[in-house]
Amino acid sequence: GRFAILGASVMAASWASSICEYQAQRQWRRVSQDLQHDLRLRLYDRLQRSDLAVLREGEQTLLASVAADDTNRLDSLFEAGWELYKIGVGGIGIVAALAALNPGLAGLGLIGIPLIVEALLALQERFSPRYAAVRDAAAPLQTRMSTNLANLPILKALGAETDELRRIAGLSETYRHRQEAASSVAAAFVPVLETAVMAGLTLSLVGAGLLTRHGLSPGSYTAAVMLTRQLLWPVAQMGALLESSERSLASAGKVMMALATPVEQDGQDIALPAAAVRGAIRFDALRYGYRVDDPALNDLTLDIPAGAVTAVVGPTGAGKSTLVQLLLRFRDPQSGTVLLDGRDIATIRRTDLRRCCAVVPQEVFLIDSSVRHNIALGCPAATQDEIEQAAQLAGCHDLIMRLPDGY
């Protein structure tokens, strides 16, 4: 009778605990995913509005990696937060139970906490700079590999595969050595914390043993041993999460850095209806240089009438691409003005200005979607007839119609 009731009560309590654990973890993970989703969108929006004039070469690739990869690495941070929450709530309950058995036991149960915290801080102090060195070595390796693979036809044409493999090997070797240095500390987290836990548990047991001489019953002593172990042992298990948490903290730092990326600033932000544009362009006394002492354009004045066909030719570095970037306001002139139909483009909303310009870039850019979507990129309201007309003007309509899925 009574044992059956006790067993059923224990089973019911276990089921209730498991259900609460499931619901709590599910809600915590939902919050984690919602925050990552919001952060990912905010970061992507920020990077789309980034000021290209202040980004150094290669930074766009690194920022893209942050948006795609680092936001996904924050899971471990939330997982560690959940474990800390459970340890904190459980610890409060255990200390309360120890105090109920004997007020002195509550203090004894906490003796091991300073040892564990001291061990944790010492390991963290050694691990953090080593992992920072790993991150510093990973960035140039990732950038070099992605750049090379994105330009693979050029490398093949130049026969530069062997040379580039040698450079990648050097960068990878640096990364490997730094990973080994960080791993030598990371591997010590769990055993060092376990040793600290055992030391704390031993001190607690000795103290509890002394209390038995002052009226502590053997049953209470046994309960104190079990509760103290339950208090300290989960802290040691946190060591398994600390390395991944450090990586998540590093990713969080890079995300915060990316969110501070300077964005394009509009001036008067005047709207420009596309129907109102005639297309007369004037570059008036322009000066712009990537270096102050070496301007790519110096006191340039150029008029391009509306409807005219004008070619700008010159050697590499003459400023041809710079003119286009100034017209699209990817960069602003250091002096002088760019006028569209007599209006200073610095006063025009950037999105309106760029929608009035048709740009054929030197690099091929295709998104992973349908042909229709690629043609209508930037003009999502385009009809099928307008899309096909654009393809016919480009001479690719027949080719598209021969594709298995057409447009």
Side-chain angles (χ1 to χ4, degrees):
R2 285 184 299 177
F3 287 106
I5 294 173
L6 180 61
S9 300
V10 171
M11 183 64 69
S14 176
W15 284 347
S17 175
S18 297
I19 292 172
C20 291
E21 173 80 8
Y22 168 75
Q23 292 295 342
Q25 283 214 35
R26 183 180 178 187
Q27 188 62 32
W28 186 271
R29 291 175 186 275
R30 181 180 296 147
V31 170
S32 168
Q33 293 302 321
D34 287 346
L35 287 173
Q36 288 180 71
H37 171 72
D38 179 67
L39 192 59
R40 191 178 298 114
L41 293 183
R42 286 177 56 196
L43 180 56
Y44 181 75
D45 177 61
R46 180 87 181 188
L47 296 181
Q48 280 199 132
R49 296 183 292 112
S50 61
D51 190 345
L52 301 181
V54 301
L55 292 182
R56 296 189 298 273
E57 185 178 356
E59 282 189 336
Q60 294 178 48
T61 302
L62 291 177
L63 290 174
S65 173
V66 172
D69 299 330
D70 285 286
T71 52
N72 297 331
R73 293 175 184 164
L74 301 180
D75 272 336
S76 297
L77 201 57
F78 287 100
E79 185 178 350
W82 171 250
E83 293 299 326
L84 284 172
Y85 169 77
K86 290 198 300 181
I87 290 173
V89 172
I92 292 172
I94 291 172
V95 170
L98 289 171
L101 288 173
N102 187 300
L105 290 176
L108 291 174
L110 297 174
I111 284 179
I113 299 296
L115 293 175
I116 297 170
V117 171
E118 184 64 29
L120 176 61
L121 292 177
L123 288 170
Q124 199 75 10
E125 185 178 357
R126 291 175 62 85
F127 183 72
S128 293
R130 297 189 184 203
Y131 188 65
V134 171
R135 297 199 312 270
D136 291 341
L141 174 61
Q142 181 180 7
T143 301
R144 189 90 185 197
M145 290 182 69
S146 59
T147 301
N148 284 359
L149 294 176
N151 296 280
L152 194 56
I154 298 175
L155 291 182
K156 287 180 174 292
L158 296 174
E161 299 100 314
T162 302
D163 290 339
E164 285 305 309
L165 178 60
R166 190 180 302 112
R167 291 186 178 91
I168 293 295
L171 293 172
S172 182
E173 184 69 15
T174 300
Y175 177 74
R176 184 174 71 86
H177 283 311
R178 294 186 182 182
Q179 274 280 30
E180 288 178 354
S183 297
S184 66
V185 178
F189 271 107
V190 172
V192 168
L193 288 178
E194 287 180 350
T195 302
V197 166
M198 293 306 298
L201 186 58
T202 300
L203 290 174
S204 298
L205 293 179
V206 171
L210 295 175
L211 287 178
T212 60
R213 301 178 181 178
H214 298 82
L216 183 69
S217 67
S220 296
Y221 176 79
T222 303
V225 171
M226 295 178 63
L227 287 172
T228 302
R229 183 185 184 282
Q230 191 67 22
L231 173 65
L232 299 180
W233 198 253
V235 180
Q237 304 309 306
M238 279 294 294
L241 293 173
L242 289 176
E243 181 184 1
S244 57
S245 297
E246 184 71 25
R247 297 176 189 275
S248 292
L249 284 172
S251 293
K254 289 196 283 187
V255 169
M256 293 301 105
M257 175 201 69
L259 284 172
T261 302
V263 297
E264 295 176 324
Q265 300 294 329
D266 274 313
Q268 300 178 33
D269 204 25
I270 299 174
L272 178 65
V277 176
R278 295 183 297 106
I281 300 170
R282 176 178 174 81
F283 298 99
D284 188 13
L286 282 189
R287 176 185 173 86
Y288 185 84
Y290 301 93
R291 296 186 310 181
V292 178
D293 59 342
D294 186 21
L297 302 172
N298 191 15
D299 196 27
L300 172 72
T301 298
L302 175 64
D303 281 296
I304 302 177
V309 177
T310 304
V312 179
V313 297
T316 300
K320 306 181 296 297
S321 298
T322 302
L323 273 180
V324 176
Q325 293 186 39
L326 292 172
L327 176 61
L328 296 172
R329 289 202 66 199
F330 291 159
R331 303 175 184 275
D332 289 323
Q334 290 153 352
S335 64
T337 54
V338 181
L339 305 173
L340 175 62
D341 294 335
R343 180 185 299 178
D344 186 351
I345 65 171
T347 65
I348 300 173
R349 187 180 302 158
R350 291 178 194 258
T351 52
D352 289 355
L353 171 67
R354 291 166 185 170
R355 285 197 179 109
C356 295
C357 301
V359 180
V360 180
Q362 299 178 40
E363 305 85 5
V364 176
F365 173 71
L366 293 174
I367 59 174
D368 186 14
S369 186
S370 63
V371 175
R372 182 189 190 285
H373 193 178
N374 275 276
I375 294 176
L377 188 65
C379 189
T383 65
Q384 184 65 28
D385 289 340
E386 290 171 334
I387 290 171
E388 291 186 10
Q389 182 182 11
Q392 289 170 350
L393 290 172
C396 59
H397 173 73
D398 294 339
L399 172 63
I400 295 171
M401 294 303 296
R402 290 197 297 270
L403 296 175
D405 296 323
Y407 282 89

Coordinates of all heavy atoms in Angstrom, one line a residue, residues 127-140 174-175 177-179 181-182:
F127 N 42.6 30.9 -21.9 CA 42.0 30.4 -23.2 C 41.6 31.6 -24.1 O 41.8 31.5 -25.3 CB 40.7 29.6 -22.8 CG 40.1 29.0 -24.1 CD1 40.6 28.0 -24.8 CD2 38.8 29.5 -24.5 CE1 40.0 27.5 -25.9 CE2 38.2 29.0 -25.6 CZ 38.8 28.0 -26.3
S128 N 41.1 32.7 -23.5 CA 40.6 33.8 -24.3 C 41.6 34.4 -25.3 O 41.3 34.5 -26.5 CB 40.0 34.9 -23.4 OG 38.9 34.4 -22.7
P129 N 42.8 34.7 -24.8 CA 43.8 35.3 -25.8 C 44.2 34.2 -26.9 O 44.4 34.6 -28.0 CB 45.0 35.7 -25.0 CG 44.8 34.9 -23.7 CD 43.4 34.7 -23.5
R130 N 44.2 33.0 -26.5 CA 44.6 32.0 -27.5 C 43.5 31.8 -28.5 O 43.8 31.6 -29.7 CB 44.9 30.6 -26.8 CG 46.1 30.7 -25.8 CD 46.4 29.3 -25.3 NE 47.5 29.5 -24.3 CZ 48.4 28.5 -24.0 NH1 48.3 27.3 -24.6 NH2 49.3 28.7 -23.1
Y131 N 42.3 31.9 -28.1 CA 41.2 31.7 -29.1 C 41.1 33.0 -29.9 O 40.7 32.9 -31.1 CB 39.8 31.5 -28.4 CG 38.8 31.2 -29.4 CD1 38.8 30.0 -30.2 CD2 37.7 32.0 -29.6 CE1 37.9 29.8 -31.1 CE2 36.7 31.8 -30.5 CZ 36.8 30.6 -31.3 OH 35.9 30.4 -32.2
A132 N 41.4 34.2 -29.4 CA 41.5 35.4 -30.2 C 42.5 35.3 -31.3 O 42.3 35.7 -32.4 CB 41.8 36.6 -29.3
A133 N 43.6 34.6 -31.0 CA 44.7 34.4 -32.0 C 44.1 33.4 -33.1 O 44.4 33.6 -34.2 CB 45.9 33.8 -31.3
V134 N 43.3 32.4 -32.7 CA 42.7 31.5 -33.6 C 41.8 32.3 -34.6 O 41.8 32.1 -35.8 CB 41.9 30.4 -32.9 CG1 41.1 29.6 -33.9 CG2 42.8 29.5 -32.2
R135 N 41.0 33.2 -34.0 CA 40.1 34.0 -34.9 C 40.9 34.9 -35.9 O 40.5 35.0 -37.0 CB 39.2 34.9 -34.0 CG 38.3 34.1 -33.1 CD 37.1 35.0 -32.6 NE 37.6 36.3 -32.2 CZ 37.9 36.6 -30.9 NH1 37.8 35.7 -30.0 NH2 38.2 37.8 -30.6
D136 N 42.0 35.5 -35.4 CA 42.8 36.3 -36.2 C 43.4 35.5 -37.4 O 43.6 36.0 -38.5 CB 43.9 37.0 -35.4 CG 43.4 38.0 -34.4 OD1 42.2 38.5 -34.6 OD2 44.1 38.3 -33.5
A137 N 43.7 34.2 -37.1 CA 44.3 33.4 -38.2 C 43.3 32.9 -39.1 O 43.5 32.6 -40.3 CB 45.1 32.2 -37.5
A138 N 42.0 32.7 -38.6 CA 41.0 32.2 -39.5 C 40.5 33.2 -40.5 O 40.2 32.8 -41.7 CB 39.8 31.8 -38.6
A139 N 40.5 34.5 -40.2 CA 40.0 35.5 -41.1 C 40.7 35.5 -42.4 O 40.1 35.4 -43.5 CB 40.0 36.9 -40.4
P140 N 42.1 35.7 -42.5 CA 42.8 35.7 -43.8 C 42.7 34.4 -44.5 O 42.6 34.4 -45.8 CB 44.2 36.1 -43.4 CG 44.4 35.7 -42.0 CD 43.0 35.9 -41.3
T174 N 49.4 28.1 -40.0 CA 49.3 29.1 -38.9 C 48.1 28.9 -38.0 O 48.1 28.9 -36.8 CB 49.4 30.5 -39.4 OG1 50.6 30.7 -40.1 CG2 49.3 31.6 -38.3
Y175 N 46.9 28.7 -38.8 CA 45.7 28.4 -38.1 C 45.7 27.2 -37.3 O 45.2 27.1 -36.1 CB 44.6 28.4 -39.2 CG 43.2 28.1 -38.6 CD1 42.5 29.0 -37.9 CD2 42.6 26.8 -38.8 CE1 41.2 28.8 -37.4 CE2 41.4 26.5 -38.3 CZ 40.7 27.5 -37.6 OH 39.4 27.2 -37.1
H177 N 48.4 25.6 -35.9 CA 49.2 25.8 -34.7 C 48.4 26.6 -33.6 O 48.5 26.2 -32.4 CB 50.5 26.5 -35.0 CG 51.5 25.7 -35.7 ND1 51.9 24.4 -35.2 CD2 52.3 25.8 -36.8 CE1 52.8 23.9 -36.0 NE2 53.0 24.7 -37.0
R178 N 47.7 27.6 -34.0 CA 47.0 28.4 -33.0 C 45.8 27.6 -32.4 O 45.5 27.8 -31.3 CB 46.5 29.7 -33.6 CG 47.7 30.6 -34.0 CD 47.2 32.0 -34.5 NE 48.4 32.8 -34.9 CZ 48.3 34.0 -35.3 NH1 47.1 34.6 -35.4 NH2 49.3 34.7 -35.6
Q179 N 45.2 26.8 -33.3 CA 44.1 25.9 -32.8 C 44.7 24.9 -31.7 O 44.0 24.6 -30.7 CB 43.5 25.1 -33.9 CG 42.4 25.9 -34.7 CD 41.1 25.8 -33.9 OE1 41.0 25.7 -32.7 NE2 40.0 25.8 -34.7
A181 N 47.2 25.3 -29.8 CA 47.5 26.1 -28.5 C 46.2 26.3 -27.7 O 46.2 26.2 -26.5 CB 48.2 27.4 -28.8
A182 N 45.1 26.7 -28.4 CA 43.9 26.9 -27.8 C 43.3 25.6 -27.2 O 42.7 25.5 -26.1 CB 42.9 27.6 -28.7

